[in-house]
């Protein structure tokens, strides 16, 4: 039996034993001869050092003598070529070569080539001081190894921006990982380059928003897994940096410390309902490099079987001989929190693993709440355990989606009117900005003139004061009488007034700068909506098909009662060290000083990261629409009544009662999330119309994005309208796509919790 087990292990593991790993790690922080164009980097050399240490660790598949580190002055072309010529040339066709570079790069668009800058004694950038991509391709083609992993962190300045024509590397299997997209500058943070930080934490399988680089939980991290993890994790970090991956490799880079321990994946039960029959079936998979001899659950022996290669592929498990299934019927004691699973491997070694049981309780509507949900103090209100956000339950069943037929007939006219309104508003903002820019230019000229006059008067004042001191010290009184003493009091007052004027003008100038910036922000936000309306006007023939009324059947879910507030989002930022969103145009320190107002200037990636942290998801458009309009298909959350100021915080007229009073019409801005309870949706959700747009998880229809070069996958739908929206955009069926990276002063989000799989 041991002989056959040895043959199986040898058959599957022999390819890994024959594969050697080689690495060249380069990090350049200092460019003494080129500091003017390429400033010193803080952590590039440090990144290279720690990555080389990680590769040389016992758990990596790199022998320490095969890892070559070149830092700062050591990173010379001659040494790089020597490593390729003398060391990498000894590799075999099955080997993996890993090349990491951290430092400055520059893009020569005329020559269509990218260069990795190395230290040199030249006074300007030349090919002799840099390693070009074509030159690197030539070196790679000379070595026998066919598996190449390139990890390049070279977009550190504006010189490196722009598209790159990457070589094809004929005859090689290449996985290429760039630190950022072509128009993004790679960043450094917390003592590391951003790419190196996630690379190291990924190899250690440190969870980030509940996910690790070990995607299949087999204890082995491959090139494809670590590169896929980086492209997933870095965009959700809050720093605008999106790595790019090309190609894939299944070579193992790192074996986790618990690789030789059994891994258990319990498939059923996902959850246990309190009060239901206590006899449950427990089943799942066990993986152990030493085989599995027996499995006991709560001291009862379970059925055990081996997974075939075909079944492993079908169930997306590793196709190796040491994956087994187990199953057992078990009587649970009331509220039993854990079950003990004892695994005896092929060598007779025993390990005990505890599995947590997730219980579900009944909610206000007699539904089985998902784990983490609990009933609130108010009837019909729930609370999510992670972020303590109040939620409401939306029952499953049929509901109406789309625009009412009477509104569909008016859509074309309404789009034209809305476009005309926005074009006028955009022109008004453009004219306003032009006037403010003229004022800024006049103030700058005035400040320069005042500054020059003040400097001259100051010099005159100092000379007069010095002459006065000389005259007072002269012993010749007759001469003292002949020379008249000028009065310095007038000059001193003038200089004081000039200084006060200069200080006041500086304050005014700063205010003008801010208003010009705010005007540009408003124009950008208006231009996005205007662009979308232009697309709709060009697709008028398809509008009725897109928004025609239809009956949809959906499952029940929970949705946040209120929009995400600054206070809740601030808790998330503190828990994850995420950067705070930018301040909106109307207020500084908005996230701190307005805790009960909706968070704004959050991208779709920011909202999705919050969901990953809190265990929620962004609502699908169908879910959002049902929560907003109920089962009767209302035009607006409160019903079919036209929107007025007393019902919604938006750019709408006041009601006749309000108009007849002495109410002052304030400029629409976001309100607190718990205001206007009278216009809540049928399920009790606040501000489902107006206040701020709300991100959804769906991509827009392809037909709506025909005019976009980026495609629908780079857009996500938002719904509900905002404080600056008119009646048309406040409709429950209307949707507005924005780029996923878009941060707007009128865009926020709310979350949902779905029921778990049974």
């Amino acid at each position: 039996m041991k002989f056959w087990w040895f043959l199986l292990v040898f058959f599957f593991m022999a390819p890994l034993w024959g594969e050697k790993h080689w690495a060249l790690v380069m990090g350049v922080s200092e460019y003494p001869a080129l500091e003017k164009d390429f400033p010193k980097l803080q952590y590039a050399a440090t990144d290279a050092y720690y990555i080389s240490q990680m590769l040389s660790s016992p758990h990596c598949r790199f022998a320490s003598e095969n890892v070559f580190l070149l830092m700062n002055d050591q990173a010379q072309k001659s040494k790089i070529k020597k490593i390729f010529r003398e060391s990498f040339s000894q590799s075999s066709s099955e080997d993996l070569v890993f090349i990491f570079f951290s430092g400055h790069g520059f893009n020569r668009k005329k020559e269509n080539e990218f260069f990795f800058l190395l230290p040199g004694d030249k006074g300007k950038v030349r090919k002799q001081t840099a390693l070009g991509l074509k030159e690197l391709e030539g070196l790679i083609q000379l070595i026998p190894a066919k598996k190449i992993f390139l990890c390049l962190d070279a977009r550190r300045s504006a010189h490196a921006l722009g598209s790159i024509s990457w070589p094809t590397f004929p005859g090689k299997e290449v996985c290429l990982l760039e630190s950022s997209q072509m128009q993004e500058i790679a960043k450094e943070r917390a003592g590391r380059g951003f790419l190196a930080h996630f690379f190291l934490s990924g190899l250690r399988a440190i969870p980030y928003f509940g996910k690790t680089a070990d995607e299949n939980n087999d204890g082995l991290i491959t090139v494809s897994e670590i590169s896929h993890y980086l492209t997933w994790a870095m965009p959700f970090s809050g720093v605008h940096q999106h790595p790019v991956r090309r190609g894939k490799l299944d070579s193992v880079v790192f074996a986790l410390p618990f690789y030789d321990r059994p891994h258990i994946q319990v498939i059923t039960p996902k959850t246990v309902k309190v009060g239901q029959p206590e006899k449950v079936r427990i089943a799942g998979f066990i993986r152990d490099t030493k085989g599995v001899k027996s499995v006991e659950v709560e001291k009862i022996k379970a059925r055990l079987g081996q997974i075939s290669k075909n079944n492993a592929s079908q169930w997306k498990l590793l196709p190796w001989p040491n994956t087994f299934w187990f199953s057992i019927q078990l009587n649970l004691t009331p509220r039993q929190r854990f079950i003990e699973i004892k695994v005896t491997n092929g060598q007779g070694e025993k390990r005990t693993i505890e599995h947590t049981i997730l219980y579900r309780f009944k909610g206000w509507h007699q539904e089985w709440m998902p784990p983490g949900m609990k009933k609130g103090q108010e009837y019909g209100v729930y609370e999510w355990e992670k972020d303590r956000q109040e939620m409401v339950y939306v029952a499953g069943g049929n509901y109406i989606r789309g625009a009412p037929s009477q509104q569909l007939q008016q859509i074309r006219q309404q789009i034209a009117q809305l476009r005309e309104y926005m074009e006028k508003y955009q022109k008004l903002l453009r004219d306003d900005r032009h006037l403010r820019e003229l004022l800024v230019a006049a103030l700058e000229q005035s400040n320069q003139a005042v500054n020059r006059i003040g400097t001259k008067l100051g010099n005159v004042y100092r000379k007069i004061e010095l002459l006065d001191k000389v005259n007072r010290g002269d012993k010749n009184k007759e001469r003292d009488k002949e020379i008249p003493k000028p009065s310095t009091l007038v000059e001193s007052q003038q200089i004081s007034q000039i200084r006060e004027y200069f200080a006041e003008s500086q304050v005014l100038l700063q205010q003008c700068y801010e208003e010009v910036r705010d005007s540009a922000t408003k124009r950008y936000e208006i231009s996005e909506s205007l662009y979308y309306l232009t697309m709709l006007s060009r697709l008028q023939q398809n509008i009725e098909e897109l928004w025609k009324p239809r009956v949809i059947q959906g499952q029940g879910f929970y949705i946040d009662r209120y929009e995400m507030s600054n206070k809740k989002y601030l808790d998330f930022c503190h828990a994850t060290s995420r950067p705070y969103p930018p301040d909106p145009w109307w207020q500084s320190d908005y996230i701190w000083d307005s805790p009960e107002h909706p968070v704004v200037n959050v991208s779709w990636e920011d909202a999705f990261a919050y969901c990953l942290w809190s265990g929620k998801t962004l609502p699908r458009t169908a879910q959002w629409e049902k929560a907003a309009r109920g089962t009767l298909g209302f035009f607006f959350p409160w019903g079919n009544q036209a929107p007025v100021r007393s019902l919604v915080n938006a750019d709408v007229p006041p009601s006749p009662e309000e108009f007849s009073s002495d109410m002052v019409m304030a400029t629409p801005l976001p309100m607190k999330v718990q205001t206007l309870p009278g216009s809540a949706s049928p399920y009790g959700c606040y501000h489902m119309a107006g206040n701020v747009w709300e991100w959804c998880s769906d991509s827009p229809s392809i037909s709506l994005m025909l005019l976009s070069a980026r495609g629908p996958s780079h857009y996500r739908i938002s719904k509900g309208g905002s404080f600056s929206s008119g009646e048309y955009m406040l409709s429950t069926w209307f949707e507005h796509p924005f780029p996923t990276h878009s941060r707007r002063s009128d865009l926020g989000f709310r979350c949902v919790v779905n029921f778990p799989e049974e």
Side-chain angles (χ1 to χ4, degrees), residues 645-692:
R645 280 291 183 95
S646 60
L647 292 173
V648 59
N649 180 33
D651 188 13
V652 295
S655 65
E657 294 79 10
E658 294 171 321
F659 188 78
S660 61
S661 65
D662 296 331
M663 185 188 74
V664 178
M665 295 296 294
T667 303
L669 290 175
M671 301 173 66
K672 293 182 178 181
V673 296
Q674 298 184 13
T675 52
L676 301 181
S679 58
S681 74
Y683 293 101
C685 298
Y686 286 50
H687 289 294
M688 295 295 276
N691 220 28
V692 293

Side-chain angles (χ1 to χ4, degrees), residues 54 59 97 109 119-120 194 208 213 216 241-242 282 288 305 338 350 436 476 478 480 505 606 608 611 620 727:
M54 173 62 78
H59 298 292
V97 173
K109 298 180 181 179
F194 214 51
Y208 187 70
N216 53 12
Q241 185 171 336
H242 301 74
I282 299 175
D288 197 317
F338 304 98
K350 296 184 178 181
R436 293 184 187 280
N476 190 342
E478 295 296 327
D480 198 43
S505 65
D606 295 330
F608 189 75
C611 292
R620 299 190 301 273
E727 177 179 345

Side-chain angles (χ1 to χ4, degrees), residues 387-568:
D387 60 0
R388 302 198 177 281
Q389 181 87 329
E390 289 188 6
M391 308 192 78
V392 295
Y393 173 63
V394 179
N398 296 335
Y399 59 97
I400 300 174
R401 286 204 66 190
S405 55
Q406 59 266 38
Q407 284 195 354
L408 279 174
Q409 300 172 2
Q410 304 172 3
I411 284 179
R412 297 179 183 179
Q413 182 181 357
Q414 289 176 335
I415 290 177
Q417 292 175 352
L418 194 55
R419 276 188 62 200
E420 183 181 357
Y421 167 75
M422 286 195 168
E423 286 172 350
K424 289 181 179 179
Y425 187 40
Q426 190 179 44
K427 183 179 182 302
L428 179 64
L429 289 174
R430 185 165 52 246
D431 295 342
D432 177 72
R433 184 182 181 185
H434 180 65
L435 290 174
R436 293 184 187 280
E437 287 174 345
L438 291 176
L439 177 60
V440 166
L443 282 172
E444 287 176 343
Q445 293 178 1
S446 175
N447 278 350
Q448 292 173 2
V450 169
N451 199 15
R452 288 194 298 267
I453 294 172
T455 301
K456 291 180 179 179
L457 285 176
N459 292 334
V460 172
Y461 174 73
R462 284 191 293 272
K463 289 178 181 179
I464 291 175
E465 190 178 35
L466 180 62
L467 182 60
D468 185 51
K469 290 180 180 179
V470 171
N471 289 337
R472 285 199 302 268
D474 198 334
K475 296 180 180 180
N476 190 342
K477 295 182 180 180
E478 295 296 327
R479 185 180 176 184
D480 198 43
K481 291 179 180 178
E482 293 174 0
I483 300 176
K485 296 181 179 180
S487 174
T488 61
L489 182 61
V490 176
E491 287 82 356
S492 177
Q493 289 178 349
Q494 288 178 345
I495 293 174
S496 177
Q497 291 174 356
I498 289 173
R499 287 175 178 171
E500 289 178 4
Y501 170 77
F502 184 73
E504 292 176 358
S505 65
Q506 287 294 104
V507 173
L508 182 60
L509 187 59
Q510 181 63 30
Q511 183 179 351
C512 286
Y513 284 143
E514 293 175 357
E515 290 177 348
V516 168
R517 180 199 62 197
D518 296 341
S519 178
T521 301
K522 293 178 187 178
R523 284 182 58 205
Y524 171 75
E525 293 176 357
I526 288 292
S527 65
E528 281 191 329
S529 297
L530 193 57
Y531 172 70
Y532 176 57
L533 292 174
T534 302
M535 283 195 298
L536 289 180
S537 64
R538 294 183 184 180
L539 298 171
Q540 284 187 2
Q541 295 180 352
N542 299 327
I543 285 179
E544 294 186 5
E545 181 65 26
L546 288 171
W547 285 327
K548 67 180 181 181
R550 55 196 182 278
V551 178
I552 301 294
Q553 185 175 15
Q555 300 294 325
F557 59 93
Y558 299 85
I559 188 167
D560 287 341
R561 191 181 187 186
Y562 310 112
E563 295 163 322
M564 189 57 56
S565 66
N566 283 324
K567 182 179 183 301
K568 296 293 184 182

Side-chain angles (χ1 to χ4, degrees), residues 193-203 208 226 229-230 233-234 237:
F194 214 51
L195 179 72
H197 169 77
F198 277 94
F199 189 90
L200 293 170
S201 61
L203 287 183
Y208 187 70
I226 186 64
Y229 170 78
L230 291 172
M234 289 175 63
S237 63

Side-chain angles (χ1 to χ4, degrees), residues 23-34:
L24 172 58
V25 183
M26 298 172 282
V28 184
S29 294
E30 300 176 358
Y31 298 87
L34 305 167

